[in-house]
Amino acid sequence: MIPLSWYVILSAALFTIGVVGVFSRRNIFILLMSIELMLNAANINFIAFSHYLQSLTGQIFVIFVITVAAAEAAVALAIIILLARNRGSVYVDEFNIMKG
Amino acid sequence: MLTYALIPILPFAGFLIAGLFGKYLKERAAYAAIAGVVGAFLLSFSTFLDVLDGTIINENLYSWISIGTLSVNVGFQIDQLTAVMLLVVTTLSSLIHIYSVGYMHGDKGYARFFSYLALFTFFMLVLVMANNFLLMFVGWEGVGLCSYLLIGFWYEKKSASDAGVKAFVVNRVGDFGFVLGMLLIFSTFGTLDFAGVFAALSGPAAKQSIALLGGNISVVTLIALLLFLGATGKSAQLPLYVWLPDAMEGPTPVSALIHAATMVTAGVFMVSRCAPIFSLSETAMTTVAVVGGLTAVFAATIGLVQNDIKRVIAYSTISQLGYMFLGLGVGAFSAGIFHLTTHAFFKGLLFLASGSVIHALSGEQDMRKMGALKSKISITHVVFIIGSLALAGIFPFAGFFSKDEILWSAYSSPGMGRVLWLLGVAGAFMTAFYSFRLIYLTFYGESRIDHEVEHHVHESPKVMTVPLMILAFFSLTIGWIGMPGAILPNVNLFGNFLAPIFPHAEHAAAESHGIERWLMLFSVLVALSGIRMAYSLYVKNTSLPDRIADRYKGAYNLLLSKYKIDEIYNYLFVDGLVHKVATFLYKVGDVKIVDGAVNGIARLIGTTSERGRRIQTGYVQQYAFTMGLGLVVLVGLYYVLK
Amino acid sequence: MLELRLHQLDYPLLSLMIFIPVLGSFLLLFIRNAATVRWVALGFSFVELALCVPLLLNFDSSIPHMQFGESHTWIAAWDINYRLGVDGISILFVALTALLTSISIMVSWTAIQDRVREFMIAMLFLEAGMIGVFTALDLFLFYIFWEAMLIPMYLLIGIWGGPNRLYAAIKFFLYTLVGSVLMLVGIIAVYVAAGNTFDVLTLMNHKFSYTFQMWVFAAFFLAFAVKVPMFPVHTWLPDAHVEAPTAGSIILAGILIKMGAYGFLRFSLPFFPDAAMKWTPAIMVLSVIAIIYGAYMAFAQTDFKKLIAYSSVSHMGFVTLGIFALNLQGLEGGILQMLNHGVSTGALFLAVGVIYERTHTRQIADYGGIAAKVPVYAAFLLIITLSSIGLPGTNGFIGEFTILLGAFLHSKPYAVIASIGIILGAGYMLWLYQRVAFGTITNPHNEHLADMNLREVAAALPLVVLVFIIGFYPNAAFGVMHASVSNLMQHINEKVQTAPAVTQMVSDVLRMSN
Amino acid sequence: MINKVIFLYFAAVILASAIMMVTRRNPIHSVLFMLLLFFHIAGLFVLLNAEFLAAVQLIVYAGAILILYLFVVMLLNVDKESIAARANRYWPWIAAFGILIAGEVVLLVSRGIFPADEGQEPMRLASDGVLSLGTELYTKYLVPFEIASVVLLVGLVGAVMLAKIKTKE
Amino acid sequence: MSIMYQDFLRSIMPINAEVIVVTVALIVLILDFFVEEESKYYLGWLSLGGIIWAAAATYNVMGANGAFFSGTFLLDPFSTFFKFVFYLACGLGILVSINYLKIEDIRRGEYYALMLFATSGMMLMASAGDLITLYLGLELMALSIYILAGFMRSDNRSNESAIKYLLLGAFSSGIMLYGMSLLYGLSGTTNLAGILTFLREADLTNPVLFLAMIMLVVSFGFKVAAAPFHMWVPDVYEGAPTSVTAFMSAGPKVAGFAVLLRVFTYALEPLHAHSTAIIAGLAVLTMAVGNIMALSQTNIKRMLAYSSIAHAGYALVGLAAGGPDGAASVMLYVCIYALMNMGAFGVVIMLRKTGERGEEITDFAGLGKSNKTAAFLMLIFMFSLTGIPPLAGFVGKFYIFKAAVEAGLVWLAVVGVLFSAISAYFYLRIIMIMYMNEPKGSFELTTSPSLALALAISVTAVIVIGVYPTNLLNFARASIIGIM
């Protein structure tokens, strides 16, 4: 049988990749997708745990996570469109009018 | 009781009236002051009669300060000493008030002048009547204040106001000693009343001694020395005499009343008031005697060469005060007080007379611009000579009796008595010399007066000359009340009168009258020779002084510049110890260090903030990164916390 | 032990004294006309003054207890009560506050032309706050007033002040705030240590552990030392004084900086006698430094107000010296000196204000020879100068002498050094007076200087009278405070305990910081 | 055993495509790698007997969200980043940091103890798994379910409101 | 039928406050289609009515204490207290918005709907009994606020603040989710009560547990703007429409503290030993960053942003103190803070008017002359934020530090008071500029009944609470039932 820790470690690795992605890439889409990576890492955890704990809560949580992710993506993309419209750029490091 | 209280109150009333309503009373203000002072004089006389039979009045008016064990009353102790002082003060004060009516006529500060003068009288009376140290200190500082105000009376003159401040501050240095003395007295004896303290002197408290600068000093001595420091300030003794010559900036009546007759003698009075304390401490007594003797000579030497008529008299005053302390120092308290009394009269006379001269010469004070005045202002001339003879100590003038009593007690006192005596004699010689130098320069020889001044030289009005004559009379006669046993046995009224309150330190034994007579003769001769020398120098061949001056240039200039003491004090204390240090402390200490630290902290925080703004770059990823960093650090804490 | 005398009168006198000014300032909100505002404000300050009459008449000076007591529950959850009362110490300052406030309002009559209404509102609020500080018998309430006072004072300096007012105001506020917030922690610590009570009287009887006292005393000390102000935390005072409007300076010098010393008397000494004893040498040294140092600073000043400000540092040095002599003479002298300083320095600032209003310069060099032009003013200034240099017959002398006596009995060296301050004091004050009043007119602007008018004389007269009353009959003041002060002394002597072993102290520290 | 192999395959592809996604210069490529990743995650879910979730993963994530991304990317036809600017200028730090955080998290997680140990029988509820899931969702988690609906509504409103071309203003 | 209707009502009774808010939001959305652009502000008043209605509903169930919907939803005094704070924040937010939107020319009803949605999200966060509810409530709130922040679509600053907030928000919720997943993996449940019971006899040295806790600290810390997770705050606050900023600074922050309290003093209570140390550290850092950075700001909104960070720091002190008093102090503090901040932003909004931003601190110059009332209000709020008695801000700080000292965290209290002394500088700077500088050209302030009402409410509250805090205090102390 597959040890639970394998799943957890996999998710940890995935989470980390997501985090690093958020830090490093300029392109806002890739930023968002990196965040999705983090969410997916969490999802893997939930599913794995719910499997090993014999409890459905994890799966339920994942459903909600995905729902929220969808809503968030919609809003995010809307804002990106605004930005692209007003600034003609999708590179986050160009959005720094406000600092200090 | 009330009658005694009235003695100071009357002049105070005079002060209030003249001070508050001076604006409306104009010159009539003088009458209020005079009335007050004369009233005080009459009351003092009746008081004098009350205590003539040796009774001592000691009454409290009301409780002034009372905290725990500290309980000070406003109260009067009137004994023979006080009575003498009362008479001296009120007499002189009255006469000088009257004299001033003429002298100050037409001055725009007329009312102010009289109010100050009356206020001075008030404080002086408080000083002499007080029955405890603290109240005495009130009078003590009060007269200081008045002298400050009166020296600076013509405040537009910078020199005048400077002199005023100088007088007050130098006196404060003395008072520093006085205050500490009082603190030590209270902490030792638990009271500040004269009676209480003197009573306790015989007790154990007086025996103790305290550590000071490694050494060990008896409390009584320390008290005495501290009080004496106060006395040197007030009575212009070494090293605090410097203010008195400058005090001549004030109007001449002020010099007469305050800086010759009364205030400056307060030190002498205080020391004799504390005779019981002083006489317990050999050290203190010697100190007093030595300081007195030295001052007597020191001031006289300066007096030899001064050209300002008032300054000459001022230095003679310092020197005469020296004699008084010399007397007190050798235990001849009554002699000291006696000299105080006589001196008050003849020195008052001299000052008023010089005032009359100055008045005649419309303000001229430099003797090099005088001469040949004897016919022009004859009354002044006569009284001036009487005063000078008294000062020089020529028989039978007042000065003779008092000075010789002091010299004799010095001579006959054990220890360094003879040395002190020699100092005294030397001083006597110089005194005779410079006082007649003054007379010759002023009244004899050929006139050196500026011409426009020459025209309106005139004798002073009656209101001024009458007091002069009265004083002259006293200068001649007052000495006789202290007739030494060596001349007429057992008629020393003065001595006997004061006998009950002073410890009997008189060494004059009957069988030694022989020596005493010889000494008297000797000192008179010395004085006469001094006068003769002055005559030969300033009347016979007037070129001689300059030649001597050239010959001993160094010495002459040193004397002329008063040993440069003022300059040294200025450099050391006024500029150095005060202004330079203050400026440095402020510019560096306060602004840079103390305040600098505060502002520095503020600035530090400010710059931190400015720097911090750079961290907030506006890059969203950097924000996320910071979060991540925080996450990592916190997670890392796991290894710390467990 | 001390008790709170309730229902002494059938009306809450102290509350009235606190809230009548507040009421007044609310009333002012609805008045537009400046002249009316002035009169109303003056009226209210006079009402306050009038209330001092029943206060002083009904005060029983034979007992040390807190009188005119009021006590109402306020915040039950924290056992905070609205508790007021005065004893022989605080009553004097309540009266002084009422007097000086009226005087300040009179002084500001023409000096303040801009935003008169706001100014008067600030003044009245300030008065309420100050009286609150002196009457509060609940630590929390005390702190409320203590801090609340900062607001109007800050505005007074900041809005109606001189050219550099911004710096001065913020410096004043921050400086005092830093001190007080630490005291706040101290107050909370006391509250916790004493079993959740803010009642001053209860706390007085509570014995705090030795180590605890050491720490908390320090916290309180900082707050009070800044207010006094003691060397080396005095630098806010010159700036604040120089920039503040006349009224502000009078209140600041007259009342505000007294609160530090009052705090020592009311809280530090009774709560932490051991700490007080332990810290006494250090505080004595600081006081002596303040005396000499302040005097020296005064010598170096060219600015009229700054000079007086530094002289205040010197004088307050005397106050702390007396208080921490911890004997009757010292304490009573210190308290009297607080009053004196309030009167004299208040009057000095009044004098500066009077002349500043005419010449608009504070540089001493711009004066000189004005005695000829303004005799009344010169006389007034002279009297105050003398009182400030402690000439016998004036109030200053009594205070300084009794303090020196107390200090001398406590330990001689301090008194000896402090006495030098008397010489210096005479020096700089007379020099100041000489430079201002004497000599010939140097500045043409002073040629047509107008003498003090009736209003100004009326404002100055009470102070002059007080100078002499206290000078000639100080028992009037001492009599009021005797009972309370001796009670305080006795209280300290009873409470003081011997220092515990080091191990004990260490364990205390550990327990305190869990 | 076979499961292990399958898991390892999935894990390998997931990590690989994650890394590719993060490092691709062309966003469209990244999106495609993301798609790949989602598919394998779905596979993982199946391996864990969460078939329904696998389906949701595919439909919602791959089918909806990702397509939306793709759509927008193309809509804005973002040109690929220049080599210099692919990563922002701190990337070496970030790399180091990445290793650090990975180390920490993985270390902690691997040293962690989970009550659910591997020994037991995994759930075999494939057939009525969905049913019980539904029951759970509509009874126990009713409130969250309702909230989710509001969340979606907000998302909808927000998207529309923000993105729609301004009529006027 | 009616019976069913009855039990339906009864069944949703615990949650009807939320239901009301959401319903009103929906009504607003629908009416939005029919209302003329000029009269959109009626929707504002409508939403306000909704809030009041919800408040009434909550008032009816006051004192109720129980878990509903199988433990996913808690209705207890704790949540009730916070709900009132949210109503306050939202109500004041709406009041300050109505006029502001006119100026900004935002004529859209969604605005109010979103505010209501956000509020409902907060309410759910406060009464979440289950990580899932918590997560969804949080996301609901966050999502609405993202949109509100970006509401000025044509304004670059607004867009930027929206995207920054969204990216970082999503990032932090990613971290939170991971933490939650681990927590779930350990305890086998997402129910807070369940987690508590699990932790009661769990091995607390388990690294994963620690990891999970940290991740929750980070993500909640992000919501309450605790350093070093605060960096979004200044930018987002500056960019967002001022009315939204006001709402943001009051609502979500308070909600964040509700969650922090619920999780750390209730669910993760057994971990208190660890969490206290960490939170104390964060508190110090937060106070330092907030107060020091605020000193050098020139934009009033940024300045208030940093000040809100600083205040989060003070509240964290109370959280670190823990225990009933600690919790109560935090609750009292955030409530007072919301009031003061709302007031301050209200005054800032008065300065905003078409043409000029009125956001620079220098724009306040001479306000004390040109508009006495506004200046006086600002003065009150500034002194209150500084914590000078007798104003509410002091009471809040006092309780916080009192709790800290009682918990033995004397050092923390000392640090706190020192920083609050520093904070005096930048608050007083505003007052200085208002009263002590001359106006740079007189300007008219834009005011309106709604704004006036909002300011009146907050200033009255600030003064009354300052002088007589007893009632609010007792309410807070009574409301910790549910997390103790």
Side-chain angles (χ1 to χ4, degrees), chain C residues 107-129:
Chain C
V107 171
S108 325
W109 206 259
T110 53
I112 302 298
Q113 294 297 350
D114 169 35
R115 304 188 231 185
V116 180
R117 181 158 54 118
E118 288 80 347
F119 180 87
M120 292 303 175
I121 291 175
M123 285 300 291
L124 289 178
F125 259 112
L126 194 57
E127 178 170 32

Side-chain angles (χ1 to χ4, degrees), chain B residues 62-66 72-74 122-123 134-135 137-138, chain C residues 336-337 339-340 343-344 383 386-388 390-402 462-478:
Chain B
Y62 67 93
S63 159
W64 186 26
I65 306 174
S66 68
V72 184
N73 297 309
V74 173
F122 161 72
F123 277 122
L134 206 57
L135 188 59
F137 189 67
V138 173
Chain C
L336 185 74
Q337 185 65 359
L339 280 179
N340 295 340
V343 172
S344 313
I383 292 170
L386 296 175
S387 121
S388 132
L391 188 88
T394 66
N395 54 354
F397 171 68
I398 311 291
E400 281 178 1
F401 181 75
T402 41
L463 297 173
V464 175
V465 172
L466 270 178
V467 164
F468 291 115
I469 289 182
I470 301 179
F472 283 105
Y473 191 58
N475 281 343
F478 287 135

Side-chain angles (χ1 to χ4, degrees), chain A residues 8 11-13 15 19 22-23 28 31-32 35 38-39 41-43 45-46 49-50 53 55-61 64-65 68-69 71-72 75-76 79-80 82-83 85-87 92 94-100, chain E residues 130-132 135-136 139 143 146-147 150 153-164 166-167 169-171 173-175 177-178 180-182 184-190 215 234-236 238-239 293 297 302 306:
Chain A
V8 183
S11 73
F15 181 80
V19 171
V22 172
F23 296 160
I28 199 158
L31 238 66
L32 284 167
I35 293 172
M38 293 164 70
L39 299 187
N43 289 355
N45 268 355
F46 275 120
F49 288 134
S50 75
L53 290 164
S55 103
L56 282 172
T57 317
Q59 302 198 11
I60 305 248
F61 211 136
F64 289 123
V65 173
V68 171
E72 221 161 45
V75 173
I79 297 174
I80 290 172
L82 270 184
L83 281 166
R85 200 185 284 151
N86 296 341
R87 298 267 193 95
V92 284
E94 290 171 18
F95 307 141
N96 67 334
I97 312 173
M98 297 174 295
K99 52 162 96 73
Chain E
D130 188 297
L131 290 178
I132 298 180
Y135 170 71
L136 286 165
E139 287 298 341
L143 211 51
Y146 302 151
I147 301 163
R153 305 191 307 176
S154 51
D155 176 20
N156 285 342
R157 290 166 173 272
S158 181
N159 304 151
E160 186 175 323
S161 87
I163 194 68
K164 279 180 173 171
L166 183 139
L167 284 172
F171 181 65
S173 50
I175 296 172
L177 270 180
Y178 199 83
M180 285 180 170
S181 72
L182 291 175
Y184 166 67
L186 290 169
S187 60
T189 171
T190 57
M215 284 178 159
D235 296 7
V236 174
E238 184 186 346
M293 294 292 285
Q297 296 306 320
R302 279 190 95 78
Y306 280 110

